[in-house]
Amino acid sequence: MFKKIIFPIFLSLIITNHTFSYDSTSAFKENNVIKVGDHITLDFIGVKNAETLYTPDFYKDIIQKIADTAHVKVASIVDYKFEPQGYTVLALLLESHMSFHTFPELGVISFDFFTCGKIHPNVAVDILKKAINHERVVHKTTERNTIELYKDVVAHKGMQNYYTVLDEIASIDSPTGQKIEILKLQDFGVALFIDQEIQVSENDEYLYSQAFVELGLEVSEKAKTAAIIGGGDGGVARECLNHGFESIDWFELDKEVMTVCKNYLPSIFQNVDDHKNVNCVLGDAFQSIKAVADDTYDHIFVDLTNEDYCIELAKSNMSELKRILKKNGAITIQVGTIDKEGPQVQKWINFLQESFGNYQEKSVFVPSFDCRWTFVSSQFK
């Protein structure tokens, strides 16, 4: 599977006027997750006359008030005045720390509070909102524990989404220049990331690979010979075998991707590289296909990234792709997400329409991608 999702995690907490306590470990007894505390940040925006209204003594007094409310103990407080303006005030707590940093020229006062205590640091919110004149406040809460939040770099526009990572299983720098990571995700199982983008997860990969191969077979029923370009996780090769293909040439640039998936994603890879009907060809696929005889394949599956570079690569090699594809055979390409990359998907559609005079598309929602993924297929008539 080559390219993309996302599991969004929305961190929110309803604040009331009541001080509350909680069991900092009860929610984490499963999965061997260790919780170490809670951390909040508050950025007060639109603060006027901060330098004159809010002195170090103000911050020291309010730190003590918050500490008393949260039942934490202040060990010491230090402050520093910047020239020409601005303060940093830091409180060392027995249970961690509190701090203020001011930006009078921007009208911003920043506060953070990290504690392993029994009272949640959100008790500071109402106290500070009443004490500081402001236009709005940006409030963020983080649970500090052994779970990693891995940022999705291709989230829906205007959103920040994260995967919940329970474990990092492998991290490898491939000789081809790709950063390969195998991570265990809370909701999607073991997953492959390349250059920080999820490529496949064991819990829902079948949705992608099945839709990919089935679209090609809807366009052309012939299912004897196939070429796969890319798809190092093995899912497309597996589905071709499941649909009865007798001869599959699998062209993959990065051997390391295949090796990692074989070792860490066996439920996806299923040792397809050892199957008698599969011939693995390592290296530049578009160079390798020059040695393939004319009219060899009923189907060609292109499972590369959906970027402009790959469109140009496919364009420059279209004569070769047509040469090795049988008449009435089909070429099927993964073209990205219609939900997040509509213009890019349309570029691929236009390219196939121009090249073959026909196309058929299919989209499937992949939960770990947090979007529909689109495939386009054209028949060579």
Side-chain angles (χ1 to χ4, degrees):
M1 178 185 300
F2 281 83
K3 181 93 183 132
K4 189 110 218 183
I5 183 176
I6 300 149
F7 174 60
I9 297 177
F10 303 98
L11 302 174
S12 61
L13 185 65
I14 299 175
I15 308 301
T16 71
N17 290 325
H18 301 288
T19 299
F20 56 95
S21 62
Y22 63 104
D23 182 347
S24 63
T25 60
S26 61
F28 295 90
K29 291 177 181 176
E30 297 181 1
N31 297 321
N32 296 317
V33 176
I34 300 171
K35 179 173 178 178
V36 295
D38 291 280
H39 198 165
I40 69 165
T41 61
L42 303 172
D43 294 294
F44 291 87
I45 314 299
V47 180
K48 296 180 175 59
N49 302 317
E51 196 77 353
T52 55
L53 290 176
Y54 310 118
T55 65
D57 286 339
F58 165 83
Y59 296 115
K60 291 176 183 178
D61 289 344
I62 206 163
I63 283 171
Q64 190 60 60
K65 183 175 181 180
I66 294 169
D68 291 342
T69 304
H71 301 304
V72 296
K73 185 171 180 58
V74 177
S76 63
I77 302 178
V78 295
D79 64 271
Y80 183 85
K81 186 178 188 309
F82 295 91
E83 295 298 337
Q85 58 188 349
Y87 296 107
T88 289
V89 182
L90 173 65
L92 175 64
L93 309 176
L94 297 189
E95 298 81 0
S96 195
H97 76 269
M98 254 187 275
S99 71
F100 286 94
H101 192 77
T102 71
F103 306 86
E105 72 281 11
L106 302 176
V108 174
I109 295 176
S110 294
F111 168 82
D112 84 294
F113 182 9
F114 173 43
T115 178
C116 58
K118 294 184 177 181
I119 305 297
H120 198 284
N122 274 315
V123 297
V125 176
D126 282 345
I127 294 171
L128 290 172
K129 280 185 175 180
K130 293 174 182 177
I132 297 174
N133 292 318
H134 61 280
E135 294 177 1
R136 67 186 183 97
V137 61
V138 178
H139 176 195
K140 298 175 183 176
T141 301
T142 303
E143 198 167 67
R144 305 283 289 271
N145 54 50
T146 53
I147 290 178
E148 178 184 359
L149 298 183
Y150 193 104
K151 186 175 182 179
D152 170 48
V153 296
V154 194
H156 288 283
K157 192 173 182 179
M159 295 178 65
Q160 285 190 347
N161 298 328
Y162 298 84
Y163 299 97
T164 305
V165 179
L166 300 178
D167 193 15
E168 179 184 291
I169 297 172
S171 180
I172 299 165
D173 291 323
S174 166
T176 63
Q178 298 189 113
K179 181 174 178 58
I180 302 169
E181 295 174 283
I182 298 291
L183 306 176
K184 184 178 181 181
L185 306 181
Q186 179 172 283
D187 289 272
F188 304 113
V190 179
L192 167 69
F193 286 74
I194 294 181
D195 295 333
Q196 298 184 303
E197 290 190 47
I198 193 168
Q199 306 296 318
V200 57
S201 68
E202 62 181 355
N203 287 9
D204 60 17
E205 167 276 334
Y206 69 95
L207 296 170
Y208 177 104
S209 298
Q210 284 181 1
F212 201 159
V213 174
E214 288 172 1
L215 174 60
L217 292 173
E218 289 172 14
V219 172
S220 175
E221 294 181 353
K222 293 183 178 181
K224 185 175 181 180
T225 57
I228 302 169
I229 297 177
D233 60 85
V236 176
R238 184 199 68 236
E239 287 304 308
C240 284
L241 290 172
N242 289 343
H243 284 83
F245 282 86
E246 299 173 11
S247 177
I248 302 165
D249 287 338
W250 181 11
F251 300 92
E252 171 58 43
L253 176 65
D254 197 334
K255 182 181 179 180
E256 200 68 51
V257 172
M258 296 175 66
T259 300
V260 166
C261 291
K262 185 182 178 80
N263 290 338
Y264 299 110
L265 290 164
S267 64
I268 295 173
F269 198 85
Q270 295 186 13
N271 292 323
V272 289
D273 59 330
D274 295 328
H275 196 282
K276 62 183 178 63
N277 291 355
V278 177
N279 172 43
C280 296
V281 183
L282 296 173
D284 185 333
F286 293 108
Q287 289 297 317
S288 298
I289 64 174
K290 291 179 180 179
V292 176
D294 295 357
D295 305 319
T296 295
Y297 303 114
D298 297 317
H299 286 267
I300 298 174
F301 297 97
V302 181
D303 196 10
L304 302 174
T305 64
N306 53 299
E307 298 164 345
D308 282 338
Y309 169 77
C310 287
I311 294 179
E312 295 305 316
L313 195 61
K315 283 182 178 179
S316 63
N317 290 279
M318 182 50 69
S319 60
E320 282 294 305
L321 292 170
K322 286 182 175 180
R323 181 185 65 79
I324 62 176
L325 185 62
K326 293 179 182 179
K327 292 294 183 182
N328 297 316
I331 182 169
T332 308
I333 303 175
Q334 79 82 15
V335 297
T337 167
I338 193 70
D339 296 329
K340 302 176 187 178
E341 302 166 340
Q344 192 71 11
V345 170
Q346 192 59 51
K347 286 182 184 179
W348 278 106
I349 290 173
N350 294 343
F351 165 55
L352 285 175
Q353 176 66 32
E354 292 166 4
S355 299
F356 294 95
N358 67 89
Y359 75 91
Q360 187 170 325
E361 64 179 288
K362 183 174 188 174
S363 294
V364 60
F365 183 80
V366 182
S368 63
F369 290 4
D370 190 35
C371 60
R372 292 173 296 164
W373 209 256
T374 303
F375 308 91
V376 180
S377 187
S378 294
Q379 188 173 35
F380 185 30
K381 297 179 179 181

